């Protein structure tokens, strides 16, 4: 599965944006379909980019851009999907945000919110991603708490940095998570 992020207020094609803001999913299959629909525009299931990243000349040096959507991956051989909100502060070279509403393919819903913090590297060379962030916190499922840490490594996508995408690796408790992500603003 791929990790995907999508932006509120973005294009009409964005599956996670309703008329009143972000859609909150309660069904794994519904969220999985929407996550795949979005991410397949930007990344492979392992987080490799399907389109070229934004050039450094096209990235702003002031202001910020917000991206909302999905985070999904493979955990214990099954899919795990959540929703994410990320803001890139181009002037402060920082990434902040949250991830919540995680649903596991067989274990159901996880409660809890992960907090994202990281760096923007707009002048990064092609082998170095343009931003990185770590999602940290505790997710709970079926009465068990899981200390969670997920690394996001990605790039700004499209000529006007309207999307972001990349890969993720991390742990939910003792279980390894791997996937990718994509987002629109």
């Amino acid at each position: 599965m791929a990790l995907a992020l999508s932006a509120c207020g973005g294009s009409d094609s964005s599956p996670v944006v309703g008329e009143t803001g972000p859609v909150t999913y309660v069904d794994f299959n519904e969220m999985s379909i929407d996550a795949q629909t979005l991410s397949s525009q930007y990344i492979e299931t392992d987080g490799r980019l399907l389109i070229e990243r934004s050039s450094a000349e096209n990235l702003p040096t002031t202001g910020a851009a917000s991206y909302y959507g999905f985070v999904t991956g493979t955990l214990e051989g099954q899919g795990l999907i959540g929703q994410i909100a990320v803001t890139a502060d181009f002037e402060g070279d920082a990434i902040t945000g949250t991830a919540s509403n995680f649903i596991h393919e067989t274990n159901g819903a996880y409660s809890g919110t992960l907090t994202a913090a990281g760096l923007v590297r707009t002048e990064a060379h092609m082998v170095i991603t343009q931003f990185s962030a770590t999602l940290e916190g505790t997710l709970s499922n079926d009465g068990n708490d899981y200390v969670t840490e997920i690394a996001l490594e990605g790039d700004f996508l499209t000529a006007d940095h309207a999307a972001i995408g990349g890969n993720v690796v991390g742990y939910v408790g003792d279980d390894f998570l791997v996937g990718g992500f994509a987002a629109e603003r």
Side-chain angles (χ1 to χ4, degrees), residues 89 92-96 117-122 129-134 156:
D89 175 355
D93 295 328
I95 294 282
T96 57
L119 300 171
V120 173
R121 299 178 294 263
T122 56
T129 59
Q130 292 173 321
F131 70 88
S132 61
T134 302
F156 297 96

Side-chain angles (χ1 to χ4, degrees), residues 55-81:
S55 67
E57 307 79 60
N58 289 336
L59 293 175
T61 57
T62 61
S66 294
Y67 305 84
Y68 303 88
F70 305 107
V71 57
T72 68
T74 301
L75 180 73
E76 299 179 289
Q78 301 291 315
L80 178 69
I81 304 174

Side-chain angles (χ1 to χ4, degrees), residues 17-99:
V17 179
E19 290 182 21
T20 59
V23 172
T24 299
Y25 294 86
V26 295
D27 179 74
F28 177 85
N29 291 327
E30 182 181 327
M31 193 189 297
S32 179
I33 290 167
D34 286 353
Q36 179 59 32
T37 298
L38 175 70
S39 64
S40 66
Q41 299 174 62
Y42 304 109
I43 63 168
E44 299 281 352
T45 57
D46 63 1
R48 286 181 294 154
L49 299 180
L50 289 171
I51 65 173
E52 288 189 34
R53 71 186 198 169
S54 303
S55 67
E57 307 79 60
N58 289 336
L59 293 175
T61 57
T62 61
S66 294
Y67 305 84
Y68 303 88
F70 305 107
V71 57
T72 68
T74 301
L75 180 73
E76 299 179 289
Q78 301 291 315
L80 178 69
I81 304 174
Q83 292 178 268
I84 194 166
V86 175
T87 298
D89 175 355
F90 294 104
E91 189 168 345
D93 295 328
I95 294 282
T96 57
T98 60

Side-chain angles (χ1 to χ4, degrees), residues 2-5 43 47 70 131 152-155 164-168 179-183:
L3 282 181
L5 306 176
I43 63 168
F70 305 107
F131 70 88
L152 305 174
E153 291 288 336
D155 292 297
I164 57 177
N167 63 60
V168 298
F181 70 94

